[in-house]
Amino acid sequence: MKKNQVKEAKGKLGVLVVGVGGAVASTFIAGSLIARKGLGVPVGSITQLATIRLGKREENRFPKIKDVVPLAQLNDLIFGGWDIFEDNVYAAATHAEVLTKDHINMVKDELEAIKPMKAVFDQHYVKRLNGTWVKSAPTKWELMEQLRADIRNFKADNNCDRIVCIWCGSTEIFTQLGDIHKTLPALEKAMKENHEEIAPSMLYAYACVAEGVAYINGAPNLTVDMPAIWDFAAKNVVPILGKDFKTGQTMLKTVLAPMLKTRMLGLSGWFSTNILGNRDGEVLDDPGSFKTKEESKLSVIDNILQPELYPELYGDVYHKVRINYYPPRKDNKEGWDNIDLFGWLGYPMQLKADFLCRDSILAAPLCLDLVLFTDLAQRAGMGGIQTWLSFYFKSPMHDDNHIAEHDLFIQYVKLKNTLRTIIGEETIDFMD
């Protein structure tokens, strides 16, 4: 791929957010608007702050990514989306209590102007929420068609050149991959017949791909992680990616587990618990939604440690994950890990990590990066699963012919090498 094969980032980029009134989305939008006014620093954003090495180390070329990669500018972003509650994004951000009133008021007018479109919602899939601003139709297919109309109308009304959609909504109950998810005709038939295994998130995903809109799955929902959507996205040359933003505890796991493996230290057990008080914590208090999140969180360690290759070190690991809804904490999540490891001759040791983090503060820069990188992929003609963006996800999506990579540092090298390829630079293997 040559840099001149990437379409120019001209015109407005529409950013449609599912769950636009949630804590993550409102923090992402408000922070992006504050940053583009020069009133705050977008800490945590690779697209805005990180550099990239180009060429040999002695050439001393370390430009910022945003200065050499043809990304959309913050000034070109137009925000919108859907939510199950009618509040505009200013009211939603105020209610979420993530950002201070001083910060929110810096962009009050812009936030008040972002009013959600009615969402597709079914309480069967998210037990703890009761949506009041929702669409209705006789079939799921017709609901999907309403979403397609929303996308077209938003694009026209805001004079957008192109659109990216990102799911910042709640975690749906666990859904197994079934026959209806394996082929496009089966998926479409299931939507028309109101099949119970067609969750609302799948309607958003299908609608986006049908409209040529890239789709980012920020939750552990099945959504786009199915052969039917893989084929649909590849056919329409639409980027799809996910799943589940990698922010707090799992980010630490993808750093600590590689440390154990590279030093050939053994692992007996890893216990993880979280306390969280925002809407996400409330939703995950339901066993069905927690099961979906648990599957995402549990996959990390086995993938990195490869117990089938190192049975003496990782063949009998006890791994437990817990999430506890604790309202007083609001968005200030605490992730606590107890790691029982062993070293030379099997002598036991322990490692404890207590991450007192802020859920939406960590997720917001990921949303910005994903929107800008996904738009870049769309302009570069990179349809289908974007494995190069696995860096941002707990459970990186991959097809049946590949294996997910969870190691944060390997993921980062892959991300930067893909950027080098896009701009026509040599990839780096660090052999120099």
Side-chain angles (χ1 to χ4, degrees):
M1 181 186 300
K2 300 284 174 126
K3 185 175 181 179
N4 59 14
Q5 292 178 318
V6 182
K7 292 180 181 177
E8 186 182 349
K10 62 181 180 180
K12 297 297 183 183
L13 173 61
V15 182
L16 285 176
V17 186
V18 187
V20 71
V24 169
S26 59
T27 304
F28 155 49
I29 294 171
S32 297
L33 295 174
I34 289 168
R36 82 180 183 189
K37 283 187 168 185
L39 300 175
V41 181
V43 177
S45 170
I46 289 170
T47 59
Q48 303 306 300
L49 299 180
T51 61
I52 184 168
R53 175 185 149 195
L54 301 178
K56 300 294 184 183
R57 186 175 296 278
E58 61 267 22
E59 295 177 34
N60 199 32
R61 287 197 291 152
F62 294 91
K64 281 194 171 183
I65 287 173
K66 69 177 183 177
D67 292 336
V68 292
V69 177
L71 299 173
Q73 302 297 307
L74 294 186
N75 284 334
D76 295 332
L77 304 183
I78 304 288
F79 295 100
W82 301 268
D83 203 275
I84 63 173
F85 302 112
E86 194 176 355
D87 290 345
N88 64 52
V89 176
Y90 177 79
T94 302
H95 177 74
E97 296 184 286
V98 177
L99 303 177
T100 65
K101 200 79 172 199
D102 287 343
H103 263 137
I104 300 170
N105 283 336
M106 289 177 179
V107 286
K108 180 179 180 180
D109 291 345
E110 295 97 316
L111 294 178
E112 285 184 332
I114 305 171
K115 298 172 183 177
M117 296 176 281
K118 285 186 176 181
V120 172
F121 179 74
D122 186 333
Q123 198 169 19
H124 170 71
Y125 299 94
V126 184
K127 297 287 195 297
R128 297 298 170 93
L129 298 182
N130 181 23
T132 56
W133 188 242
V134 299
K135 298 182 184 299
S136 61
T139 68
K140 295 180 179 182
W141 179 264
E142 290 168 274
L143 287 170
M144 181 278 299
E145 290 286 12
Q146 289 184 32
L147 293 174
R148 291 188 66 174
D150 287 345
I151 294 168
R152 291 192 295 267
N153 292 336
F154 179 85
K155 186 174 184 180
D157 293 344
N158 293 280
N159 297 312
C160 294
D161 182 70
R162 58 208 185 279
I163 291 179
V164 170
C165 181
I166 183 166
W167 177 280
C168 293
S170 297
T171 300
E172 295 171 333
I173 60 173
F174 184 67
T175 303
Q176 288 275 18
L177 181 71
D179 289 340
I180 66 165
H181 307 119
K182 292 181 179 178
T183 68
L184 196 56
L187 184 69
E188 292 171 341
K189 183 173 182 287
M191 283 192 278
K192 292 171 182 175
E193 295 178 351
N194 286 335
H195 197 289
E196 68 173 356
E197 295 301 312
I198 298 293
S201 65
M202 298 175 193
L203 304 183
Y204 285 99
Y206 183 97
C208 285
V209 176
E211 291 296 321
V213 170
Y215 189 91
I216 303 161
N217 181 20
N221 312 329
L222 191 59
T223 311
V224 288
D225 198 6
M226 61 180 76
I229 297 294
W230 300 342
D231 294 343
F232 195 25
K235 176 184 173 184
N236 287 8
V237 198
V238 173
I240 54 171
L241 52 156
K243 54 190 183 181
D244 204 4
F245 299 138
K246 179 160 62 181
T247 51
Q249 190 172 65
T250 307
M251 179 174 66
L252 279 181
K253 286 185 176 180
T254 61
V255 173
L256 296 174
M259 178 195 73
L260 299 178
K261 183 183 175 185
T262 54
R263 293 297 298 267
M264 287 289 102
L265 295 170
L267 180 67
S268 301
W270 197 313
F271 179 79
S272 302
T273 190
N274 300 261
I275 55 175
L276 177 62
N278 61 12
R279 189 189 297 177
D280 193 33
E282 184 179 8
V283 168
L284 293 173
D285 206 34
D286 170 64
S289 292
F290 171 70
K291 172 67 174 171
T292 309
K293 177 71 75 171
E294 183 182 37
E295 291 288 318
S296 174
K297 281 176 165 281
L298 285 174
S299 63
V300 174
I301 290 178
D302 273 358
N303 178 279
I304 292 174
L305 298 181
Q306 297 177 291
E308 69 280 2
L309 298 182
Y310 305 101
E312 66 271 50
L313 298 177
Y314 312 118
D316 188 26
V317 175
Y318 184 84
H319 186 197
K320 178 69 72 175
V321 174
R322 286 283 178 264
I323 298 176
N324 305 285
Y325 179 47
Y326 183 56
R329 277 299 170 89
K330 299 179 181 176
D331 199 67
N332 298 332
K333 180 168 67 175
E334 180 170 359
W336 182 80
D337 289 88
N338 174 79
I339 304 163
D340 286 286
L341 59 148
F342 57 89
W344 189 249
L345 303 180
Y347 281 82
M349 296 177 278
Q350 290 187 24
L351 193 159
K352 315 271 190 190
D354 190 9
F355 193 7
L356 295 150
C357 56
R358 294 173 181 261
D359 200 40
S360 299
I361 295 298
L362 289 170
L366 270 65
C367 293
L368 177 59
D369 285 352
L370 284 165
V371 163
L372 297 182
F373 281 144
T374 303
D375 173 57
L376 173 69
Q378 180 80 81
R379 287 183 284 109
M382 299 164 64
I385 302 170
Q386 304 299 304
T387 58
W388 66 287
L389 294 173
S390 295
F391 175 81
Y392 292 100
F393 298 104
K394 285 188 183 73
S395 185
M397 194 164 64
H398 59 94
D399 62 25
D400 294 332
N401 298 320
H402 296 85
I403 297 172
E405 177 58 66
H406 283 269
D407 185 316
L408 189 73
F409 304 105
I410 295 174
Q411 291 174 333
Y412 195 48
V413 169
K414 185 171 184 176
L415 186 155
K416 284 196 166 182
N417 271 337
T418 301
L419 294 177
R420 293 183 181 103
T421 300
I422 288 173
I423 64 174
E425 291 278 345
E426 292 292 320
T427 58
I428 291 178
D429 61 12
F430 300 98
M431 291 298 289
D432 64 314

